[in-house]
């Protein structure tokens, strides 16, 4: 779809479409197949985490971070990486 307003154009999936959300879900549905530690996906937000008790946990989490990086490169989906500290 392409929209032109006052000479400026944009393209993408129309808002409110039935097909758009389904296509998005199909697009982002496979990271759990790539990740061995904990993963939570909600809409366009994905979190990967694990409890670090020893070096094996660190290595496992790093492998998953590397895997999700490879997945994002494969599908040309840029990741927004940030650290969120849980404060109790």
């Amino acid at each position: 779809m392409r929209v032109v307003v006052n000479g400026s154009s944009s393209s993408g999936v129309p808002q409110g479409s039935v097909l758009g959300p389904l296509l998005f879900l199909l697009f982002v549905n496979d990271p759990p197949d790539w990740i061995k530690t904990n993963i939570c996906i909600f809409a366009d937000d994905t979190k990967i985490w694990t409890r670090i008790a020893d070096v094996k946990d660190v290595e496992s989490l790093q492998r998953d971070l590397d895997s999700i990086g490879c997945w994002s490169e494969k599908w040309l989906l840029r990741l927004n990486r940030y650290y969120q500290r849980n404060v109790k």
Side-chain angles (χ1 to χ4, degrees):
M1 171 176 218
R2 183 174 171 186
V3 177
V4 178
V5 176
N6 294 332
S8 297
S9 65
S10 68
S11 61
V13 177
Q15 294 296 315
S17 75
V18 175
L19 190 56
L22 177 62
L23 292 174
F24 179 78
L25 287 175
L26 291 173
F27 185 69
V28 299
N29 199 34
D30 63 339
D33 297 337
W34 292 53
I35 305 301
K36 304 298 182 223
T37 56
N38 299 307
I39 185 168
C40 180
I41 299 175
F42 180 77
D44 64 347
D45 187 28
T46 301
K47 292 184 169 74
I48 301 171
W49 76 96
T50 192
R51 184 175 301 264
I52 304 295
D54 57 28
V55 174
K56 289 182 182 181
D57 295 336
V58 173
E59 292 169 348
S60 177
L61 182 59
Q62 187 60 55
R63 273 192 304 274
D64 284 347
L65 292 171
D66 293 342
S67 291
I68 202 75
C70 290
W71 176 87
S72 71
E73 288 177 18
K74 176 183 177 183
W75 293 106
L76 305 176
L77 182 65
R78 198 165 158 225
L79 296 177
N80 179 18
R81 300 172 188 168
Y82 69 94
Y83 172 75
Q84 178 179 353
R85 172 178 276 163
N86 292 330
V87 179
K88 293 183 180 183

